[in-house]
Amino acid sequence: MTETGNTAAAKFDTGRAAEYAVQSRIALAGYDACHELGACLLAADLGPGRAARVLVAGAGGTAQEIISAARLEPLWHFTAVDPSAPMLELAMAAVGEAGLTARTTPVLGEVGALPAKAVYDAASLIGVLHHLPGLSAKQDILKALAARLKPGAPLILAGNRHAYASRPLFLAAWGERWRMHGASADEIEAKLGKIRQGADPPASDQDVAEMLTQAGFEEPTLFFSSLFWGGWITHRRG
């Protein structure tokens, strides 16, 4: 792994990984809906009932991308890539509980370490980009995905955008959502402090679009939005 990959992976140690499934659903209102819509878009784009190889980058944690898509398409095989061992272990446990182990290949590491061949029919990158510090790291993973996708293959991208300080009402709403789920004032402040210091989201939807087009993808289409979170579908340019 690169130094950037190690830095991002270190955020998701055993303790952080264990709370991820619960915390992600509180922080992102519509967590399951975003994953389900992403799966539906991929199925609609590729066409129902056909075999496909799907690259799931940053699959660690809930493996919800895999579970949602597998419910729709029994002929899809998934390559689950994550640089965090605890997060990948959690994902594969969820995959096993869903009866999908035979259809999922786990890869501990980064997308850039995979063979640079355009063999995948689709890909997803959900909840990853804002954890990568700096523009270069973001561009690297997007270019790595483009290099491994067939021309015209769809990509589902989802994650936080906007500088957190630029949306104080959204930050306050995040705090209220945690309060709604029983967090104390001190716990809320600690969570918001981690968010402010521990992530580097793209500054705008336009920045997301520019990163994608520079990496070899088409102009993206927004299909989901929830406070800071956005979900897009795009395609590798042919």
Side-chain angles (χ1 to χ4, degrees), residues 137-189:
K138 295 175 177 62
Q139 289 177 325
D140 285 348
I141 194 169
L142 293 173
K143 289 176 181 177
L145 284 167
R148 288 153 181 82
L149 286 171
K150 296 176 181 178
L155 167 70
I156 296 295
L157 172 68
N160 286 334
R161 81 280 205 213
H162 307 308
Y164 295 132
S166 72
R167 300 289 194 277
L169 184 60
F170 284 11
L171 279 175
W174 254 349
E176 291 303 311
R177 185 159 169 80
W178 276 308
R179 184 164 72 94
M180 185 182 290
H181 286 79
S184 68
D186 288 344
E187 288 171 335
I188 291 169
E189 185 54 39

Side-chain angles (χ1 to χ4, degrees), residues 66 77-81 88 92 95 100-107:
I66 296 170
H77 186 279
F78 306 91
T79 299
V81 182
L88 188 59
M92 292 309 296
V95 163
L100 300 171
T101 303
R103 294 172 56 190
T104 307
T105 300
V107 177

Side-chain angles (χ1 to χ4, degrees), residues 42-142:
L42 289 184
D45 193 284
L46 294 176
R50 58 162 289 192
R53 298 183 65 183
V54 182
L55 175 57
V56 183
T62 64
Q64 197 60 48
E65 305 97 311
I66 296 170
I67 294 168
S68 295
R71 288 169 55 193
L72 287 173
E73 296 297 336
L75 299 181
W76 287 6
H77 186 279
F78 306 91
T79 299
V81 182
D82 202 286
S84 165
M87 292 292 280
L88 188 59
E89 288 170 9
L90 270 182
M92 292 309 296
V95 163
E97 290 176 7
L100 300 171
T101 303
R103 294 172 56 190
T104 307
T105 300
V107 177
L108 179 61
E110 299 182 354
V111 175
L114 293 172
K117 297 180 181 179
V119 297
Y120 292 98
D121 301 288
S124 67
L125 184 70
I126 298 180
V128 174
L129 211 59
H130 57 275
H131 290 298
L132 300 178
L135 177 61
S136 178
K138 295 175 177 62
Q139 289 177 325
D140 285 348
I141 194 169
L142 293 173

